[in-house]
Amino acid sequence: MENRRTIKSYVLRSGRFTQKQKEAYDNYSQDFCIDYQENLLSFKETFQNENEVILDIGFGMGDSVREISQAMPDKNFIGIEVHKPGVGALAFDLKDLNIKNAKIISYDAVEVVKNMIPDSSVGGFHIFFPDPWQKKKHNKRRLLNEEFIEILAGKLKVGGYIYVATDWADYAEQVLDLLSANKKLKNSTAGFAQRAPWRPITKFEKKGLTKNHNIYDIWFTKV
Ligand SMILES: C[S@@+](CC[C@H](N)C(=O)[O-])C[C@H]1O[C@@H](n2cnc3c(N)ncnc32)[C@H](O)[C@@H]1O
């Protein structure tokens, strides 16, 4: 257990900020970022309302948070990402587009979910194109493993969902098996799901598509 937690699902790249991202990171972080803390977060205090909260884990450059938060103004979104230029990019968009229903936590999502998110409180998790760690010896770095899925399931409300999209076939099969094996979760269809019409094409999906990869959508709900 302790050993598993020291294996991270990311490598912090020496972030190449564009000037726009850096300025947004420096100037807007205080408006949109919630500091990591080992205390449970109050969604009501954070958003000043009681709307359902959706977490987007590993949002990259923030395309999905930006698009979906605008399309669903009656839900709240928390994006979690360790890559600081992506945090700057999303902070810029939230400011520029005057988006009020999205916040950012820039920290390891495993720790954030475990320590900041109350049990049975989340309406949905979006995990779009998680790093595939495709070499066999790196598979153990994959974000979605049995332990993290159990943590995610515990944080969902009944009826809440986990929505994963990936362009790596073996990761898709692995996630399908892991989610199917979790007793708190139920597949919404047999096998892979249809793409939700509101899921935007993200930067990493575009990369997969240019390599002619198939895209796999996976949707489980908490029973
Ligand atoms: C392949 S990218 C996909 C980004 C985005 N979702 C997309 O579809 O374009 C995966 C992202 O997850 C982030 N990530 C990986 N593990 C993470 C963790 N434990 N906590 C927060 N972010 C993480 C990485 O920094 C990276 O930006």
Side-chain angles (χ1 to χ4, degrees):
M1 173 98 163
E2 196 52 39
N3 189 32
R4 164 70 65 72
R5 283 175 50 198
T6 60
I7 299 171
K8 297 291 184 196
S9 59
Y10 57 89
V11 173
L12 275 184
R13 292 156 278 162
S14 51
R16 273 182 291 122
F17 275 107
T18 63
Q19 191 168 344
K20 181 173 123 179
Q21 290 162 355
K22 177 83 175 91
E23 281 174 16
Y25 186 83
D26 290 344
N27 297 328
Y28 307 149
S29 283
Q30 73 271 22
D31 296 341
F32 300 108
C33 289
I34 302 166
D35 288 338
Y36 173 75
Q37 50 179 30
E38 288 191 3
N39 292 312
L40 293 178
L41 191 64
S42 160
F43 294 155
K44 191 175 171 189
E45 266 176 38
T46 303
F47 292 101
Q48 299 293 309
N49 63 45
E50 300 201 53
N51 292 347
E52 188 162 80
V53 176
I54 309 293
L55 269 62
D56 187 314
I57 296 183
F59 62 69
M61 301 312 282
D63 305 333
S64 52
V65 178
R66 182 190 66 235
E67 296 301 318
I68 301 171
S69 63
Q70 289 183 100
M72 301 182 187
D74 56 343
K75 293 189 197 300
N76 298 317
F77 293 83
I78 299 177
I80 309 173
E81 175 56 62
V82 286
H83 184 53
K84 303 246 180 296
V87 172
L90 181 58
F92 180 90
D93 287 342
L94 297 183
K95 181 78 174 178
D96 190 46
L97 298 165
N98 196 26
I99 295 172
K100 304 279 189 212
N101 58 330
K103 300 281 181 197
I104 301 170
I105 303 179
S106 182
Y107 203 80
D108 182 348
V110 176
E111 300 301 319
V112 171
V113 174
K114 208 186 301 181
N115 297 322
M116 292 182 73
I117 304 302
D119 290 344
S120 306
S121 69
V122 173
F125 288 102
H126 294 170
I127 307 174
F128 298 149
F129 302 88
D131 294 297
W133 294 109
Q134 63 265 38
K135 287 188 186 155
K136 197 109 202 103
K137 65 175 179 184
H138 288 151
N139 280 184
K140 58 182 179 294
R141 283 179 167 273
R142 287 177 168 175
L143 176 72
L144 290 165
N145 55 43
E146 186 184 354
E147 185 189 349
F148 191 47
I149 285 171
E150 178 61 22
I151 293 170
L152 294 175
K155 303 299 177 181
L156 282 177
K157 303 199 264 200
V158 172
Y161 64 86
I162 298 177
Y163 185 10
V164 180
T166 179
D167 61 326
W168 285 90
D170 79 306
Y171 198 8
E173 295 287 352
Q174 186 187 18
V175 170
L176 194 60
D177 288 348
L178 288 169
L179 292 171
S180 302
N182 190 297
K183 301 235 173 331
K184 297 190 178 87
L185 302 170
K186 186 173 179 301
N187 199 348
S188 59
T189 51
F192 295 108
Q194 295 288 326
R195 179 199 191 96
W198 45 261
R199 183 171 71 71
I201 296 187
T202 62
K203 183 177 168 204
F204 275 84
E205 181 167 7
K206 277 185 203 132
K207 282 191 184 177
L209 289 170
T210 58
K211 294 182 198 150
N212 289 326
H213 287 180
N214 284 332
I215 307 296
Y216 303 88
D217 287 69
I218 302 171
W219 185 294
F220 277 65
T221 50
K222 181 159 174 180
V223 286

